[in-house]
Amino acid sequence: MGRWQPGARERLEQAALDLFLEQGFTETTVPQITARAGLTTRTFFRHFADKREVLFAGEESVPERVARFMAEAPPSLGPMELISENLAPAAAEIFEGRSLDYLLRRRAAIDAEPALHERELRKFSLMSQALEQGFRARGVDELTAQLAAEVAVTTLRIAVTRWLNQHGDPGLPATIDQTLAAMRHLTNTPSA
Amino acid sequence: MGRWQPGARERLEQAALDLFLEQGFTETTVPQITARAGLTTRTFFRHFADKREVLFAGEESVPERVARFMAEAPPSLGPMELISENLAPAAAEIFEGRSLDYLLRRRAAIDAEPALHERELRKFSLMSQALEQGFRARGVDELTAQLAAEVAVTTLRIAVTRWLNQHGDPGLPATIDQTLAAMRHLTNTPSA
DNA sequence: TCAGCTATGACACGTCGTGTCATCACTATC
DNA sequence: GATAGTGATGACACGACGTGTCATAGCTGA
């Protein structure tokens, strides 16, 4: 078994997530994962750069999709307009094909392990960099582009967290809208 | 040399930063660092949890200082007021005792290595969690507390980056004020 | 049938990080 | 000023991570 069996990557992802939830990330060794998937250790590292990456596969294309998304938007839209109108559809595209159950299990594994949490922070950082580039390509000045990118990513991240915490109760678009509204309300509050 | 020589920790930090800048983080082995500092490998890991941590020592106390800071602020201040008035002094306290030259060298090392960048993202994440707790302790609702904490940390992070990129040219407080103003302007822009 | 390509297996190896115990230096107490 | 205690360090072994390298097995097309 294993050699030339299709879906090696998927089998590794499945086995890894199961084991991480069963006995923890640190306690799970790569040989354990590959044994369950019917492969060898060396093959694991041919599919994934490191042990954490098995939970983040297939997300490498998000930044470039973000860039394309922004390039196709009407040039007249300001940064906040762009975020308001396109954050929800972009998020939907990112999560398409992933079941809520998988997302919740994945979330549980990530929350239990600081190393995985760090990897997720990098994912959002990369997304923010792509957004910043997109804003700058639309003529936004550097500082505003940085801030707008961070606002978008932060809003998305918090909204997704809340959405998952409620087991997907209000839809993701509705949660995003709520979060964006709260962000506006917060920053529009007069200060001092 | 080494045994009972005072300042082992500082010697390790110095040697590590030098080597990271000379030949890169990955290419630098822990034995190389300890050899330059006149110690053994085992001692390195008694002072730092892992190889990255040598650049982040002494920052563990930031979250609790943030919590104290917020508990002592006048209860009447809203989240954005609190950020506006206290972000700059808090930042100044964090960076006290670190020379600009050290901060720039450290920045260069971190920017050159994704693993170090990830560690820095975790630092900001911890800071954000502390801020969120502080806001909640002041009676702010959960969503607003999350957002306010992220806004504060994002503003601080971008401001520090810009400040360092300009070699500390306008002072850090001025840069923070500029960044906060840009954030207000961005989110106050009418949308759609 | 054969040649070429790609994924996998097998093995060796360097580095990271930890557990464990002995040893050395500083300190306090008498 | 001798001695016991405390805390940092040295020395060694070891498991896990991740990589380099070559052989091998399966698929593909002529």
Side-chain angles (χ1 to χ4, degrees):
Chain A
M1 160 180 187
R3 176 94 89 165
W4 247 233
Q5 207 82 12
R9 211 183 165 86
E10 290 70 20
R11 265 170 21 233
L12 287 170
E13 291 178 18
Q14 180 90 37
L17 179 54
D18 289 347
L19 284 167
F20 291 168
L21 291 173
E22 287 172 18
Q23 52 185 4
F25 176 81
T26 307
E27 291 70 23
T28 301
T29 68
V30 175
Q32 284 177 347
I33 299 171
T34 53
R36 185 172 290 203
L39 296 166
T40 62
T41 302
R42 191 64 187 85
T43 298
F44 180 92
F45 290 107
R46 287 203 183 89
H47 285 278
F48 308 101
D50 60 60
K51 204 170 95 176
R52 304 176 308 169
E53 215 63 17
V54 71
L55 291 188
F56 295 88
E59 296 183 348
E60 308 84 3
S61 63
V62 169
E64 63 188 72
R65 281 195 289 171
V66 165
R68 181 172 43 75
F69 213 98
M70 296 182 73
E72 292 170 353
S76 60
L77 267 54
M80 280 307 275
E81 292 174 306
L82 194 67
I83 294 174
S84 300
E85 297 188 7
N86 291 321
L87 196 55
E93 186 179 345
I94 291 175
F95 289 115
E96 72 179 351
R98 301 290 192 178
S99 71
L100 183 59
D101 181 67
Y102 168 78
L103 292 177
L104 285 170
R105 282 161 51 82
R106 184 171 168 281
R107 166 70 40 189
I110 292 174
D111 285 347
E113 177 58 42
L116 294 172
H117 184 226
E118 278 193 27
R119 177 60 182 83
E120 179 153 84
L121 292 176
R122 183 160 78 91
K123 180 182 77 178
F124 286 115
S125 177
L126 292 172
M127 200 181 305
S128 177
Q129 287 178 33
L131 280 165
E132 180 188 341
Q133 281 302 104
F135 281 124
R136 295 214 61 187
R138 298 169 64 87
V140 179
D141 69 281
E142 182 182 335
L143 177 54
T144 303
Q146 282 184 37
L147 290 168
E150 292 290 343
V151 165
V153 167
T154 295
T155 303
L156 177 62
R157 180 155 52 89
I158 292 180
V160 168
T161 300
R162 296 176 67 80
W163 176 61
L164 288 178
N165 280 346
Q166 295 169 355
H167 291 65
D169 185 14
L172 181 54
T175 310
I176 290 177
D177 285 346
Q178 290 171 13
T179 308
L180 253 179
M183 176 71 93
R184 284 184 192 287
H185 180 262
L186 168 70
T187 52
N188 285 10
T189 302
S191 75
Chain B
M1 157 181 187
R3 177 96 86 167
W4 248 230
Q5 206 83 13
R9 211 183 166 86
E10 290 69 22
R11 261 164 33 226
L12 287 169
E13 290 178 20
Q14 179 90 36
L17 179 54
D18 289 346
L19 284 166
F20 291 167
L21 290 173
E22 286 172 18
Q23 52 185 7
F25 176 81
T26 307
E27 292 70 23
T28 302
T29 66
V30 175
Q32 283 177 348
I33 299 171
T34 53
R36 186 171 290 204
L39 296 167
T40 61
T41 301
R42 192 64 188 84
T43 298
F44 180 92
F45 290 107
R46 287 202 183 89
H47 284 279
F48 309 102
D50 59 61
K51 205 170 93 176
R52 304 176 307 169
E53 216 64 17
V54 71
L55 291 187
F56 294 87
E59 296 182 347
E60 308 85 3
S61 63
V62 169
E64 62 188 72
R65 281 195 288 171
V66 165
R68 182 172 41 77
F69 213 98
M70 295 182 72
E72 291 172 351
S76 59
L77 267 55
M80 280 306 276
E81 292 174 306
L82 194 66
I83 294 174
S84 300
E85 298 189 6
N86 290 321
L87 197 54
E93 186 180 344
I94 291 175
F95 290 115
E96 72 179 350
R98 301 289 193 179
S99 71
L100 183 60
D101 180 67
Y102 168 79
L103 292 176
L104 286 171
R105 282 162 52 82
R106 183 172 169 282
R107 165 71 38 189
I110 292 174
D111 285 347
E113 176 58 42
L116 294 173
H117 183 225
E118 279 193 27
R119 177 59 182 82
E120 179 153 84
L121 291 176
R122 183 159 78 89
K123 179 181 76 178
F124 286 115
S125 176
L126 291 173
M127 201 180 304
S128 176
Q129 286 177 35
L131 281 164
E132 180 189 340
Q133 281 302 105
F135 281 124
R136 295 214 60 188
R138 298 169 64 85
V140 178
D141 70 280
E142 182 182 334
L143 177 53
T144 303
Q146 281 184 37
L147 289 169
E150 292 290 343
V151 165
V153 167
T154 295
T155 303
L156 178 61
R157 180 155 51 89
I158 292 180
V160 168
T161 301
R162 297 176 65 80
W163 175 61
L164 288 179
N165 280 346
Q166 294 168 356
H167 290 67
D169 186 12
L172 181 55
T175 309
I176 289 177
D177 285 347
Q178 289 171 12
T179 309
L180 253 179
M183 174 71 93
R184 285 183 193 286
H185 181 262
L186 167 70
T187 52
N188 285 10
T189 302
S191 74

